[in-house]
Amino acid sequence: MELYKAAMVLGGVGDALGYRNSRWESCPSGVTILSELKALGGLEGITLSEDGWPVSDDTLMHIVTAQALVSDFWTLEDLYREMMKVYTETVAEINKRQPDPSTIEGCTQLKPDNYLLGWHTPFNKKGSGFGAATKAMCIGMRYWQPQKLDNLVGVSIECGRMTHNHPTGFLGSLCTALFASYAIQRKPLVEWGREMMKVLTVAETYCKKTIRHMAEYQENWFYFETKWQSYLEERGIAQQGQNTPRFPENFDAEKRDQVYKEWSSEGVGGRRGHDAPMIAYDALLSAGSNWTELCNHAMFHGGQSGATGSIAGCLYGLLFGMKNVPNGLYQNVEFRERLEELAAKLHKAANENEML
């Protein structure tokens, strides 16, 4: 239970830090951000609050996704209807927080009045953004058991393509949901990436069964897979038995910005569904239980730092709880009580003996 609470809250903390009311999220230089952080007194000198350090749309979408997952649904179709409802209801609020354009476009295409097909949105060639990945960790928290993998795959894909109907987008939601489940299972961190690669075939099978947009999916499917395979090989952990990640000798803020740009598809690290979870995962591999190092790698870089921070913070919470996190970062973070309440409900729902 405490790890669930830490995960939901630290997801918000990581988001608020990386976003910094859109100031740091739009800054192209991690060196500049770390310099400004030092002037603020470092992480110990910051007190997060709604006024000065609000969360972005990433945390709001994670909150309403969790809200749907703990609602009283009997079938997965009922769950998707609830997701569709909460997504359309939250558009006005997330519009105030510099949202991912794909999220807004996807939400406006949902049709809550259509009982049978309302969550089926058109294929979107621009729907490859990070927003599907940042709202899906709670899905892995809800369906963390290995025997519930089919539910995790189906729900994360449907949740992802409601707003980001492009493989690079919705495979990002599958990725972060899987990583959350692996954290709860206590699967060794170094195995997460290659285990996720195996599940991509399960995801492809699921998409074929739903018979929607398969021509477009096949044309765009392998980008996500290729990027992740390349990353795992770069870190030297692509094969079973390769359990020591290989990092550059000099991996300072300037070098990280360069590397993150190379992983991206448009020169902005963390902007897409493949590299937002990739940067968060890489930060965890590098930092371990060191919260400050995690922040340096995932929250303070010249890219989509709110997105990468929200994913990294949530996964850190599942692994380590509030360990090493200064009190000022989470005591008054925006929506803290709501995040903790949803965490308790997710924990209860995930561990009840039920079909869904």
Side-chain angles (χ1 to χ4, degrees):
M1 174 77 80
E2 292 308 310
L3 293 178
Y4 270 55
K5 288 182 179 180
M8 292 299 288
V9 171
L10 291 182
V13 168
D15 178 24
L17 285 172
Y19 178 56
R20 202 190 171 188
N21 210 0
S22 83
R23 175 172 173 168
W24 282 349
E25 193 168 66
S26 60
C27 176
S29 168
V31 175
T32 299
I33 292 169
L34 286 170
S35 175
E36 292 184 11
L37 174 69
K38 185 177 180 180
L40 292 169
L43 289 171
E44 296 281 355
I46 295 173
T47 299
L48 297 187
S49 64
E50 179 180 352
D51 293 336
W53 297 79
V55 299
S56 78
D57 62 305
D58 298 332
T59 297
L60 279 173
M61 290 298 284
H62 197 216
I63 283 173
V64 295
T65 303
Q67 183 182 315
L69 287 164
V70 299
S71 64
D72 188 18
F73 60 89
W74 287 93
T75 68
L76 291 180
E77 287 74 18
D78 287 339
L79 170 59
Y80 303 148
R81 292 181 189 105
E82 184 62 24
M83 281 185 180
M84 177 171 55
K85 175 173 170 283
V86 297
Y87 289 165
T88 54
E89 288 174 349
T90 201
V91 167
E93 181 57 36
I94 65 174
N95 253 324
K96 303 172 186 175
R97 304 181 186 236
Q98 306 290 320
D100 173 13
S102 298
T103 298
I104 295 295
E105 183 177 354
C107 287
T108 57
Q109 291 176 333
L110 295 167
K111 300 176 179 64
D113 294 334
N114 185 332
Y115 185 79
L116 293 178
L117 302 173
W119 63 90
H120 291 200
T121 56
F123 175 78
N124 183 0
K125 64 181 180 180
K126 296 180 180 178
S128 59
F130 59 87
T134 53
K135 63 177 173 169
M137 291 79 73
C138 56
I139 297 172
M141 295 165 69
R142 176 68 174 79
Y143 299 112
W144 65 269
Q145 297 93 335
Q147 65 269 28
K148 291 187 178 177
L149 177 63
D150 286 345
N151 279 353
L152 184 152
V153 170
V155 173
S156 63
I157 287 175
E158 294 298 347
C159 166
R161 62 184 178 179
M162 281 185 205
T163 53
H164 295 72
N165 198 357
H166 184 291
T168 306
F170 65 72
L171 291 178
S173 58
L174 170 68
C175 179
T176 58
L178 272 174
F179 284 0
S181 75
Y182 292 162
I184 298 167
Q185 292 172 31
R186 290 298 183 253
K187 190 182 290 289
L189 183 61
V190 74
E191 296 178 8
W192 291 9
R194 54 181 182 250
E195 287 298 309
M196 184 266 293
M197 295 293 285
K198 298 175 186 176
V199 180
L200 291 180
T201 57
V202 181
E204 189 172 13
T205 300
Y206 175 84
C207 288
K208 286 177 179 176
K209 284 181 182 176
T210 62
I211 325 176
R212 282 153 54 196
H213 316 295
M214 279 316 298
E216 293 93 340
Y217 287 175
Q218 286 173 348
E219 185 178 338
N220 294 278
W221 189 270
F222 294 104
Y223 182 80
F224 183 98
E225 190 171 359
T226 301
K227 280 290 196 177
W228 265 91
Q229 184 63 33
S230 175
Y231 162 75
L232 294 172
E233 289 172 359
E234 182 179 335
R235 284 289 172 263
I237 54 173
Q239 303 298 324
Q240 202 71 32
Q242 293 182 324
N243 295 326
T244 305
R246 185 173 60 233
F247 289 92
E249 189 172 332
N250 170 26
F251 204 36
D252 61 10
E254 188 173 358
K255 179 65 174 178
R256 290 194 296 270
D257 281 354
Q258 176 193 331
V259 169
Y260 295 172
K261 284 179 182 178
E262 290 170 358
W263 295 344
S264 75
S265 59
E266 55 178 64
V268 181
R271 180 66 66 85
R272 298 293 170 215
H274 71 284
D275 61 334
M278 190 180 288
I279 290 171
Y281 179 58
D282 197 65
L284 286 164
L285 281 175
S286 176
S289 62
N290 188 323
W291 171 258
T292 300
E293 273 303 292
L294 183 84
C295 291
N296 289 343
H297 286 243
M299 289 70 153
F300 306 135
H301 63 88
Q304 202 72 39
S305 45
T308 56
S310 66
I311 298 168
C314 184
L315 296 174
Y316 181 97
L318 287 173
L319 290 170
F320 307 112
M322 291 297 189
K323 184 179 180 182
N324 302 327
V325 182
N327 291 348
L329 296 183
Y330 61 83
Q331 282 183 332
N332 297 310
V333 69
E334 188 177 13
F335 299 121
R336 179 187 168 185
E337 289 184 4
R338 191 172 174 192
L339 289 162
E340 289 184 339
E341 178 186 329
L342 285 167
K345 291 180 177 178
L346 277 169
H347 185 270
K348 181 182 178 184
N351 294 288
E352 285 178 345
N353 292 321
E354 55 173 320
M355 292 296 292
L356 292 174

